[in-house]
Amino acid sequence: MKKTQGGALALAAAAALFASPALAQSAGVVAPEFRWLTFLVFAAIIGLTMFVTYRAASKVKSASDFYTAGGGISGVQNGWAIAGDYLSAASFLGIAGLISIYGYDGFMYSVGWLVAYITVLLVIAEPCRNIGKYTLADILAYRNNPKATRIVGAISVIVVSTFYLTAQMVGGGVLVKTLIGIDYKISVVTVGMLMLAYVIFGGMVATTYVQIIKAILLVIASIVLVLLVWSQYGFFGGFLENAVNDPKIQARVVQLLGDKSAGMTATELGQRFLEPGLYFTSPLDQISLGLALVFGTAGLPHILMRFFTVPSAKEARVSVIWAMAIIGGFYVLTLFLGLGAAMKVGAPNILLADRGGNMAAPILAQYLGGGADSMLGNFMLAFVAAVAFATIVAVVAGLVLASASAIAHDLYVGVIRGGSATAEEQVKAARIASLVVGAMAIVIGIAAEGQNVAHLVALAFAVAASANFPCILLTLFWKRCNTGGIVLGMIVGTLSAILLVLASPNTEYPNTVRNNANTAIATQTARIETLNAELATAADAARQAEIRTAISSSEAAIASARANIARVEGRTTNLLGLSEPLIGLRNPGIISIPLGFLAVILGSLLWRDPRSEALWDEVYVRQNTGLGAAAASKH
Amino acid sequence: MTTPNIDWAQAARDPRFVEMVEKKRKFLFSLMAFSVVFYFLLPLGAAYAPGLWATKIFGVVNFGLLFAISQFIVAWSIAFIYTRRANREFDAASEALKRDILAQAGQRA
């Protein structure tokens, strides 16, 4: 019964994907005559994941099966699943894109995402495996007041996951729309329905296998692309030499540097692409972001949850090692993908397809396969698009599972039911919570269409680093830590990160929008006048057509500026009521992380909680030895 | 799983436990401190020592690129060093402790 429902949901999702007509053919979109290829690749991947879900559905009998696959995932499997959970579209497509349009800075950005796993390996993975059961709040509730810490822990999990989820849904919707040419809303609904099928019917078992499949596909796709790039541009040293001498890269540097590029030779320009400073302009902001990555990853609920799926601390360690090998290896390959795209495709074409550069890797695949008119090129694009699609679904599934566990296990079973619920009731609660969270994700995804959500991932990391990380670290390693500290730390860490972002240049300031729009209108109006004058004197028809195109693009720019002005009509302040940014810092970590730690320490010192101290010996012995840790159920 | 007979306070005072935890704490702290400092040298150096970062080491390959690549090697090395020590030393120590603590709890039962 459940299985047929799962199948029906999958069919509906697949049908929705291909029901809408193709949009205009352009770079990064599979041409209509090759759409059967896309259909084939997508059907194969969706079919495979659905088969896995079908097999998993019969195994989900208890809460432990649903949340943690009964603790029966091996370290190696979990390592691949962590990589699948972590390598979101932001890192898969985003970093390759950054490297392709900004060079060295993009590569430097990727480093923090790997270094983050050292924190996970050294201080989080094993103790959490030994102490925890299903959720982040389980760790906090162990020696602190269970109700109070479950409430704050669950809220923080929901906040972090919702930020992350919104970014994934909106980013995913745009991506699927661009890659396959279907309507944004249909892409969001498709992603949401597939994800729900995995989570509701297959729980953590299916989610894990979907993440593993996605990670393997991602690695295969990257290796194939990099081998093709190497075959054309040479290996390491020779490859970089080609990059330096590449006219497209040199032209991009001129565009980035503007007047500062005057007097530089061609090779100097190319060399500049391999030096820092083309993207990051504020070192403080970059360090702040680095702090959020390095400490926030260890506090991400969907990553933490993965450590409860393995049978022992040793397997948790093995999983981080595998995850670090896969994630790190992937980022090294990304350097070649990014620079390869900069040479093969060129920054202007990449930016034309997507202003954030996210289409660099997919278009590179199309070009490497022979371009937009070739069958191989379209097949490779379809394959990369399918991998990107699987990426979004897998990451979203992990996030929904983390939120649902916070709602069902912590809030419903832990707080409302006081910890007493039968196995069936727990699984039912978990499925209902997943459905609610998943439906909300779809609604948010559709409601947030067109919003700039890029900073939401950074905000999710910042909240995780400022609230979750200090609380977990101190309850595990500081004897004096107690309920007061956890409650205050969660509140201060979460609020300070969010408020700092709301007061930063990340949010929309109506006055700034108006000023920018007015400037744009003035510039474009002047440009249209010049172009009209040129049109009057232009001799041949080809030139006239060119000028007319330029005029209509200027008119479009004016229309979009007018739309911006209309959108902020009557408003002078941002979400927080500010007319201009209070702080220049875009990433709050450098302020909010110390605040979070301070709050945990202060709250603990001001509060007396004999239970927290009485249980310290037990917590400390357990987290270091694994004594009494929830054992794996046998499947 | 419940383990009601374990005297946690006694286990926490076991000299072997204290010794293991102390060693582990020092080891983890130094690895963690090194990795954080080493990582932040990257953005700091890129921002404040652009000359060094642009210095060519061989061919077109500059110091900045090599330093960024070294971050990957260092991260993997730290993971390797930790895993080796944990596999050889900490796992065995905690297994032995676990056996003894459970045996003592069994006697009390």
Side-chain angles (χ1 to χ4, degrees), chain A residues 104 111-112 114 118-119 122 126 271 274-275 283 287 291 314 317 321 324 328-329 617-618 620 622 624-625 627, chain B residues 3 6 8-9 12 21 24 28 32 39 44 47 53-54 56 60 62 64 72 75-76 82-83 86-87 91 98:
Chain A
Y104 182 84
V111 172
L114 174 69
I118 296 194
T119 319
L122 298 183
E126 295 177 49
Q271 188 72 44
L274 305 181
E275 292 164 12
I287 288 166
L291 284 170
K314 194 180 162 77
R317 186 159 67 225
I321 300 297
M324 284 182 73
D617 284 336
E618 183 178 337
Y620 208 51
R622 275 181 189 254
N624 278 294
T625 61
L627 208 59
Chain B
T3 41
I6 292 175
W8 297 105
V21 171
K24 204 158 119 179
L28 292 182
M32 190 68 220
Y39 168 59
L44 284 172
W53 251 239
K56 283 190 213 169
V60 298
N62 58 32
F72 288 83
W76 285 325
Y82 168 70
T83 307
N87 284 341
D91 280 358
K98 212 151 73 173

Side-chain angles (χ1 to χ4, degrees), chain A residues 268-291:
Chain A
E268 277 171 355
L269 287 169
Q271 188 72 44
R272 184 69 186 82
F273 206 60
L274 305 181
E275 292 164 12
L278 294 178
Y279 179 63
F280 291 114
T281 46
S282 158
L284 196 65
D285 237 329
Q286 207 200 334
I287 288 166
S288 196
L289 174 67
L291 284 170

Side-chain angles (χ1 to χ4, degrees), chain A residues 88 90 109 113 163-164 167-168 300 453-462:
Chain A
S88 63
Y109 178 67
W113 297 78
F163 287 151
Y164 213 117
Q168 296 297 321
L300 287 179
V453 291
H455 58 275
L456 281 181
V457 170
L459 180 56
F461 273 89

